[in-house]
């Protein structure tokens, strides 16, 4: 029920956003993400089940986006733009913390498209109109596991999350 303009992230990036100290962010800008990133890296990897346009996938974290850039300047994918209808699901299949760090570094370098082309089992990019994401497995007392979700850089609940491409147009005023 929550619209987004740029992206929804589930897992690692939502954990980083959730651990961010807003006072530090105002004072130190991007440097404030360091402690939140280290905290998110200290947790066990999430296990997500993602259904994209009816096809099941597994991953450690996911970003469903209508934008090419992540966090303002980081290139996420060249396969989409806010000017083009539809979404792109980026599925990060980290099998270890070391791979998770490597994926985050690829994102920081703007290298995800190249890496996804070389190894689609590591990062997969899938154009889509819908994505349903939930945590795989059960937690204590057989309760469903809840993994955090972020929308456009703000924490917005936990899994399960149902993402659909919007059908309307949004008019924006953009500085040139």
């Amino acid at each position: 029920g929550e619209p987004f303009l740029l992206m929804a992230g589930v897992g690692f990036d939502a954990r980083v956003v959730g651990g961010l100290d807003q006072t530090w962010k105002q004072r130190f800008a991007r440097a404030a993400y360091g402690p939140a990133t280290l905290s998110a890296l200290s947790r066990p990897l999430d296990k997500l089940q993602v259904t994209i346009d009816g096809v099941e996938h597994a991953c450690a974290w996911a970003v469903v986006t209508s934008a090419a850039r992540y966090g303002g300047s980081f290139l996420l994918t060249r396969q989409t733009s806010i000017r083009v209808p539809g979404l792109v699901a980026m599925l990060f299949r980290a099998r270890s913390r070391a791979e998770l760090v490597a994926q985050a570094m690829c994102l920081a370098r703007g290298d995800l498209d190249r890496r996804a082309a070389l190894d689609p089992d590591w990062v997969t990019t899938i154009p889509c109109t819908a994505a349903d994401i939930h945590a795989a497995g059960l937690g204590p007392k057989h309760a469903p596991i809840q993994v955090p979700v972020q929308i456009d850089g703000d924490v917005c609940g936990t899994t399960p999350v149902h993402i659909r491409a919007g059908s309307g147009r949004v008019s924006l005023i953009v500085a040139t």
Side-chain angles (χ1 to χ4, degrees):
E2 294 291 329
F4 67 89
L5 182 62
L6 303 174
M7 71 192 58
V10 181
F12 174 67
D13 71 328
R15 290 190 188 285
V16 172
V17 169
L20 188 60
D21 182 312
Q22 293 301 320
T23 304
W24 279 38
K25 182 180 176 185
Q26 290 173 351
R27 184 173 290 153
F28 302 113
R30 286 199 174 163
Y33 284 84
T37 300
L38 291 174
S39 176
L41 286 170
S42 72
R43 297 186 49 85
L45 294 176
D46 292 307
K47 295 177 183 173
L48 302 174
Q49 285 301 122
V50 183
T51 304
I52 299 174
D53 294 332
V55 178
E56 291 282 332
H57 302 270
C59 65
W61 59 296
V63 175
V64 181
T65 184
S66 62
R69 300 215 170 258
Y70 183 95
S73 62
F74 298 116
L75 179 64
L76 185 59
T77 178
R78 290 178 177 87
Q79 292 189 25
T80 192
S81 164
I82 61 170
R83 295 180 175 96
V84 177
L87 300 167
V88 171
M90 304 281 301
L91 306 180
F92 298 84
R93 294 189 167 102
R95 294 170 294 256
S96 68
R97 281 192 186 95
E99 283 187 346
L100 185 66
V101 169
Q103 289 171 339
M105 294 305 294
C106 273
L107 174 59
R109 288 190 312 265
D111 220 10
L112 282 175
D113 276 349
R114 183 189 66 78
R115 183 63 193 258
L118 292 173
D119 188 356
D121 287 333
W122 196 67
V123 176
T124 303
T125 305
I126 305 169
C128 64
T129 57
D132 295 319
I133 305 171
H134 63 275
L138 298 173
K141 299 184 182 181
H142 304 289
I145 295 170
Q146 295 184 327
V147 176
V149 176
Q150 66 88 7
I151 294 178
D152 291 338
D154 293 314
V155 174
C156 188
T158 61
T159 54
V161 63
H162 311 287
I163 301 167
R164 305 281 179 267
S167 58
R169 293 184 60 120
V170 175
S171 296
L172 300 174
I173 299 172
V174 179
T176 56

